[in-house]
Amino acid sequence: MKEEQSRKRRRGKHKKPQKTQPSLLPKHSTKLHKKTHQQKNPAHQSSSSSSSLKSSSFLDKMKARLAGGHFRMINEKLYTCTGKEALDYFKEDPELFDMYHAGYQEQMSHWPELPVNIIIKWLKERSSSLIVADFGCGDARLAKNVKNKVFSIDLVSNDPSVISCDMSNTPLRPSLVDVAVFCLSLMGTNYASYLKEACRVLKPSGWLLIAEVKSRFDPNNGGADPNMFSKAVCEMGFTSALKDFSNKMFVLLYFKKKENKSSNGREIEWPELKPCIYKRR
Ligand code: SAH
C-alpha cells in the first residue's frame, strides 16, 4: 500500500517528458523488419509489405503525436515560469531545447507568414550598420538573413554565435545596440525584466521591435490590453511608433527609445501576458 502510494507520488512528480519512446527505437527498425519478413514469406510479399507500410505510418503518427505532446508541455512550462527557472530547466537537460524547437518549427510551418521575416525585411530596408540584439533568437534565423551585426541571445546555444543566457541579464554593455528584437519571445512570467534589459542595452533613439502571438493581446479572450502594455513600455522611456494588428496570427508593436529618459519614479504597471498554448493538431 505504502509502496503503491509512493509510486503514485513519484509518477505524479515526474514532469519531464519520457524521452524513451521515440529515441530508443532503432531508426530503421521497420525497414529491417520488413526485409526479414519478405525473405521468409516471398508468397506474401505484397500483403506483408502493405501491412508493414501501414504499421510504419502508424508508428510515424505515434511519434509525431508524442513529439507534439512534448513540445506543448515544454511550451507551457516556458510561459508559466521565470527566465531563470527556464534557464535551469534547459541546463538540466539541453535536449529539451531541441525538442521544443522541433515542435516550434512544426507549429510555425502552419503560419501563412512568419513575423521574423517581417522584421528581417524591416532591417533590410534600413542601413546594415544598425547593431541588433535578437532576444530569444531560437535558431538565429534573423542573424543568418541580414548583413547587420546581430547579438543573438537564447537560453541554449547550439551555435557558437548565440549567446546563451537568461535575457533578463545579458552580457551586453549599456547603450550598445540600435535595434532590440523580441520575436514571439516574451515568454517568462517576468517578461518586463526582459524589456528593461533591452532598454538598458539600447542606444538613445534606438528601436524596440516586438512581435507577439495575437491571442495574448486580445482582451476579449483573456489576453492583455495592448494599450496598457504599450503605456507600460512608454513609461519605461519609449514612444510608440507602430501598432499593427492586421495579421491573423501576430501583432507588431514597435517603439523608439527616448533621447532622454524622464522617469516619474512611479512603479510601472505591466499587464499579465497569458501563455500561448498551442492546440493539438
Ligand atoms: N525569435 C525566434 C524564436 C521564437 S521561440 C523566431 O521568431 O523564430 C522563443 C524563443 O525565446 C525560444 O528559443 C526560447 O528559448 C527563447 N526564450 C524564452 N525565454 C527566454 C529567456 N528568459 N532568455 C533567453 N531566451 C528565452
Side-chain angles (χ1 to χ4, degrees):
M1 177 70 180
K2 263 194 181 164
E3 169 58 13
E4 176 58 22
Q5 273 176 349
S6 73
R7 231 186 297 141
K8 270 189 193 160
R9 229 176 289 133
R10 259 182 270 133
R11 242 183 277 143
K13 264 190 174 180
H14 192 86
K15 287 214 174 115
K16 270 178 147 193
Q18 302 278 342
K19 280 182 291 164
T20 44
Q21 299 92 334
S23 54
L24 282 186
L25 286 165
K27 270 191 184 154
H28 306 295
S29 62
T30 48
K31 269 192 197 157
L32 279 176
H33 177 75
K34 197 164 82 183
K35 254 193 190 162
T36 343
H37 196 72
Q38 279 170 6
Q39 277 156 4
K40 272 189 191 162
N41 304 289
H44 297 140
Q45 203 166 325
S46 66
S47 73
S48 73
S49 70
S50 83
S51 75
S52 162
L53 269 180
K54 258 186 224 154
S55 69
S56 95
S57 75
F58 174 74
L59 213 64
D60 289 344
K61 263 190 209 151
M62 290 310 286
K63 279 190 203 172
R65 193 170 283 185
L66 268 169
H70 291 166
F71 162 71
R72 283 189 298 277
M73 198 204 67
I74 304 166
N75 182 63
E76 194 171 331
K77 164 84 185 162
L78 294 179
Y79 277 113
T80 51
C81 72
T82 64
K84 160 97 179 48
E85 283 163 345
L87 186 67
D88 293 342
Y89 180 67
F90 282 141
K91 257 192 197 154
E92 209 178 292
D93 190 349
E95 257 185 60
L96 294 179
F97 186 77
D98 299 334
M99 239 185 238
Y100 174 75
H101 272 283
Y104 176 79
Q105 297 306 336
E106 208 286 317
Q107 287 291 333
M108 287 299 120
S109 69
H110 301 281
W111 285 32
E113 193 166 21
L114 295 183
V116 67
N117 287 341
I118 295 193
I119 293 172
I120 289 169
K121 188 163 169 274
W122 187 95
L123 284 167
K124 282 187 170 165
E125 285 163 0
R126 286 165 178 80
S127 165
S128 60
S129 67
L130 295 177
I131 303 173
V132 182
D134 185 9
F135 288 82
C137 65
D139 60 4
R141 186 187 179 116
L142 181 62
K144 288 175 196 154
N145 284 282
V146 295
K147 289 194 186 128
N148 308 55
K149 163 79 193 151
V150 180
F151 293 99
S152 300
I153 300 156
D154 210 300
L155 293 163
V156 174
S157 165
N158 287 328
D159 181 315
S161 72
V162 175
I163 304 168
S164 79
C165 65
D166 168 19
M167 61 190 172
S168 64
N169 187 16
T170 72
L172 307 185
R173 70 164 170 78
S175 304
L176 173 68
V177 307
D178 301 283
V179 187
V181 175
F182 289 87
C183 188
L184 308 181
S185 58
L186 291 179
M187 300 183 90
T189 50
N190 61 325
Y191 78 86
S193 61
Y194 310 151
L195 296 175
K196 275 180 208 148
E197 179 65 358
C199 184
R200 185 185 70 80
V201 303
L202 266 174
K203 294 176 188 170
S205 301
W207 289 92
L208 170 63
L209 311 184
I210 299 174
E212 257 311 325
V213 178
K214 199 167 196 175
S215 60
R216 303 188 81 199
F217 286 103
D218 178 4
N220 297 325
N221 280 308
D225 175 354
N227 293 326
M228 184 179 176
F229 176 82
S230 189
K231 186 169 165 261
V233 176
C234 291
E235 279 175 22
M236 217 170 43
F238 288 86
T239 50
S240 170
L242 173 88
K243 283 181 193 170
D244 184 343
F245 286 77
S246 62
N247 193 284
K248 226 175 89 181
M249 310 301 277
F250 55 84
V251 298
L252 298 169
L253 301 168
Y254 294 179
F255 300 87
K256 222 163 182 260
K257 188 173 166 178
K258 288 181 187 157
E259 278 289 335
N260 299 300
K261 195 187 165 198
S262 50
S263 164
N264 59 15
R266 256 187 279 138
E267 203 181 309
I268 301 173
E269 213 183 309
W270 293 95
E272 194 185 313
L273 288 186
K274 72 167 183 171
C276 163
I277 305 294
Y278 294 95
K279 286 195 199 102
R280 232 180 85 170
R281 287 185 185 273

